Amino acid sequence: MASSEDFDPFQQSFTLVLLDGTPFNVTIPDLDDFVRYSVQISINYAAQLGASLIFLIVLLLLTKPEKRKSPVFILNSVALAINVVRNLLQCLYYTGPFSEIYTYFSQDYSRVTASDYASQVTITVLSLLLLVCAELSLIMQVWVVCVTLRDLYKQGVTAFLVLVACLAVGFRFAFTIENAKLILSLNPPTSLNWLASASNIVTTISICLFSAVFIIKLGFALEQRRQLGMNHFGPMQILFIMGCQTLLIPGSTPPQEKAQIRCSFGPGPIDRVKQEDQFDRDSDRESTYHAACLSSQQDTSNVQS
């Protein structure tokens, strides 16, 4: 027996037994890591859920009745509702059979039901639909904001941004398909590292370009107002500040190596779960960014129109 000087009670291990009788050890640090990770990611999803719900309530309450039938308002509301449901399903993942201690460490998913798999696939599909709604909304708002430009400039800017938006949706669509296959087959996710990173990078570039267009157009409008002697601080200045924040703060921390994760428990299905969580945490930052852009840019369009 080891002496008391060499014994570290925080490094103890205990034995679990597989269905076929094979024993395996789990250490206290491994268990601590599992619990800590689950709590941290649950807090992340819960915060995203609350933020999206607040944005949705504010949008519904503050939008004028005559504006509620506009395509932009409908797309914004649908996008926020999708994000609420998506993050709710993410939270429920950590109360389901996928996150049970024995299932996690033994990688025995025999008690995971078809509905649990379906909910995970639904999350990836909702992420795609969220991006589609956000990009469509921003495209429509760019067209409205650029309505005073010459036709050549307006069509050129819109066509370029539509191309970038299609690239972002295309990468996310490919990731959704491949990720759904891995979820159902419980295969490791290493083959999707580049696709997950590319999807988030292109999405970030897309949203930043849209925000840049809104800020530049609003900046010109503020300069024109200043030349007319309208120098008082008002809603347009607030929207300009918000636009700069939603562009510069997320844009200053672009997604890099988003699909690269650390896993202490060896290869297997749990790797896929952790990679998807890593990608979703980065996507959640973009989702809240989308929500902020959708709400503030709709206000921008209303002010300028």
Side-chain angles (χ1 to χ4, degrees), residues 238-284:
I238 295 174
L239 290 173
F240 183 79
I241 295 172
M242 291 175 58
C244 290
Q245 291 176 342
T246 56
L247 170 63
L248 298 177
I249 295 177
S252 64
T253 55
Q256 299 176 350
E257 301 298 331
K258 288 187 175 300
Q260 300 297 328
I261 60 168
R262 293 178 297 172
C263 186
S264 305
F265 311 108
I270 195 58
D271 287 336
R272 186 209 60 76
V273 174
K274 279 204 167 188
Q275 184 212 15
E276 177 65 11
D277 283 341
Q278 177 69 22
F279 180 75
D280 279 329
R281 277 188 288 181
D282 297 321
S283 296
D284 284 337

Side-chain angles (χ1 to χ4, degrees), residues 114-161:
S115 62
D116 295 314
Y117 286 101
S119 65
Q120 295 307 300
V121 174
T122 300
I123 290 171
T124 65
V125 175
L126 290 178
S127 298
L128 172 63
L129 296 178
L130 172 64
L131 180 60
V132 170
C133 289
E135 297 288 355
L136 285 175
S137 176
L138 293 173
I139 290 172
M140 291 182 180
Q141 293 174 66
V142 162
W143 183 261
V144 173
V145 169
C146 297
V147 70
T148 58
L149 298 179
R150 296 179 182 178
D151 289 342
L152 180 61
Y153 295 153
K154 179 174 64 176
Q155 294 172 2
V157 170
T158 305
F160 174 72
L161 292 177

